[in-house]
Amino acid sequence: MVVNSTVKIESTLEEKIEHARDLIENAIRAYPRIAVACSFGKDSMVTVHIARQVKPDLKIFAVMTQFKPKETFEYLVKMDREWRLGTTVYIVADKIPAILRNRSLDVRLLPVEEFNRKAAETERNTGRKIYQVDPDECCRLLKVEPSKLAVAELDAWICGLRNTEGRTRVDYQEIEEKGGLIKINPILTFTEAEVWRYIATRGIEPHLWYARGYRSLGCAPCSHPGGVLERDGRWQDTSKCGGECGIHTLALKSQSGKTN
Ligand code: SF4
């Protein structure tokens, strides 16, 4: 895949935006089966905003969980309607959450039995929730496995990862490959301040929780406000404090093209 420009952390925001467009444009040309992963956090919204300028009907997908804040579901519905995203939502659940019904969303339900069984077992054995005792397994079942399905028919996906978000994201590259699946990170060099400048200058309404001091949003029990680095509030008081859910660290496809 050819990219005509390069940027660094110290480049201007306008240079970074231009570069992000360049990356996305070339990725779409190289990988027609491509989509944007959107968590409806600030970085995702900037990425979707730029990507939709390049290709207004570019596919958007979201992996939601039963533990996402209700404000995330409300924001997803609102932004999907206003930006005409036609988001495909993947969620482990036995029925479509009421808020996602009768909308322009394409909701894909995934089997809930394994999660329910493991969550019940954990509570029975420890008296605590699965996300407190074994957040890796909780994320695997609710986020990683659904993400494998979301990318199963794709050759590439576009994400809103940024190098300065936290200790686990410092080494990410703009173009990555795992198991034959290409990942494009067009806003990798944006700083947190630049993300907010982009949002403010484009009149984008952010998720409500940022006004409450949150800097990185995930599921409600695993997100907390504040922190020295943006992701410090994720999974506080667990083994993976400030870490990753696994979507960006595990292979979502095997080389044969099958999910693993
Ligand atoms: S972020 Fe927390 S609640 Fe959400 S899937 Fe991961 S461990 Fe479970």
Side-chain angles (χ1 to χ4, degrees):
M1 182 183 134
V2 182
V3 186
N4 303 318
S5 56
T6 55
V7 285
K8 298 177 180 162
I9 290 281
E10 54 273 20
S11 301
T12 67
L13 177 56
E14 291 314 314
E15 286 167 344
K16 292 178 186 181
I17 295 167
E18 204 41 54
H19 178 66
R21 282 200 195 106
D22 185 23
L23 261 176
I24 294 166
E25 217 167 79
N26 285 294
I28 292 170
R29 207 171 295 136
Y31 309 104
R33 299 196 313 161
I34 192 168
V36 185
C38 182
S39 67
F40 290 83
K42 64 187 192 313
D43 309 308
S44 285
M45 299 318 287
V46 169
T47 306
V48 168
H49 195 263
I50 296 173
R52 280 283 180 127
Q53 288 165 29
V54 175
K55 191 173 191 303
D57 63 349
L58 193 54
K59 284 186 181 157
I60 312 294
F61 75 85
V63 173
M64 298 293 282
T65 80
Q66 59 183 279
F67 298 118
K68 292 270 185 174
K70 83 171 173 26
E71 288 85 353
T72 300
F73 285 92
E74 290 165 356
Y75 183 68
L76 181 159
V77 168
K78 181 178 166 58
M79 298 311 284
D80 181 83
R81 186 184 61 238
E82 288 182 7
W83 288 11
R84 298 173 193 275
L85 299 176
T87 308
T88 303
V89 179
Y90 295 83
I91 184 165
V92 172
D94 51 14
K95 59 177 188 288
I96 299 178
I99 191 166
L100 301 182
R101 283 183 213 145
N102 302 319
R103 316 261 175 187
S104 61
L105 303 164
D106 174 9
V107 182
R108 312 271 176 97
L109 293 180
L110 308 173
V112 75
E113 289 73 19
E114 188 182 1
F115 175 78
N116 284 349
R117 185 171 47 75
K118 292 207 170 161
E121 253 171 42
T122 306
E123 277 198 62
R124 208 168 38 245
N125 294 338
T126 67
R128 300 174 75 213
K129 301 285 186 191
I130 187 171
Y131 49 72
Q132 297 170 308
V133 179
D134 194 353
D136 283 330
E137 182 65 354
C138 186
C139 279
R140 184 184 75 76
L141 292 167
L142 298 186
K143 291 183 167 183
V144 178
E145 294 302 321
S147 296
K148 288 180 181 177
L149 284 172
V151 302
E153 302 300 322
L154 301 178
D155 298 317
W157 57 319
I158 297 170
C159 301
L161 299 191
R162 297 177 19 253
N163 283 144
T164 52
E165 280 179 275
R167 61 181 168 77
T168 55
R169 300 210 160 170
V170 173
D171 294 327
Y172 281 120
Q173 305 296 311
E174 281 185 335
I175 304 170
E176 298 177 353
E177 187 272 333
K178 260 198 201 96
L181 178 69
I182 304 294
K183 181 162 69 181
I184 311 291
N185 299 313
I187 66 162
L188 195 71
T189 58
F190 283 42
T191 62
E192 184 182 23
E194 286 168 336
V195 166
W196 284 116
R197 185 137 53 91
Y198 186 98
I199 285 173
T201 53
R202 270 71 179 176
I204 299 171
E205 179 188 330
H207 189 301
L208 273 179
W209 277 30
Y210 290 112
R212 301 179 190 172
Y214 288 79
R215 297 173 68 193
S216 178
L217 296 180
C219 294
C222 304
S223 302
H224 297 86
V228 176
L229 297 172
E230 283 164 76
R231 290 181 66 81
D232 287 353
R234 303 290 289 274
W235 298 285
Q236 268 182 11
D237 305 322
T238 76
S239 51
K240 64 171 174 176
C241 182
E244 296 285 334
C245 65
I247 290 174
H248 300 294
T249 49
L250 302 169
L252 299 182
K253 276 188 176 187
S254 63
Q255 202 58 257
S256 65
K258 291 180 190 157
T259 55
N260 56 7

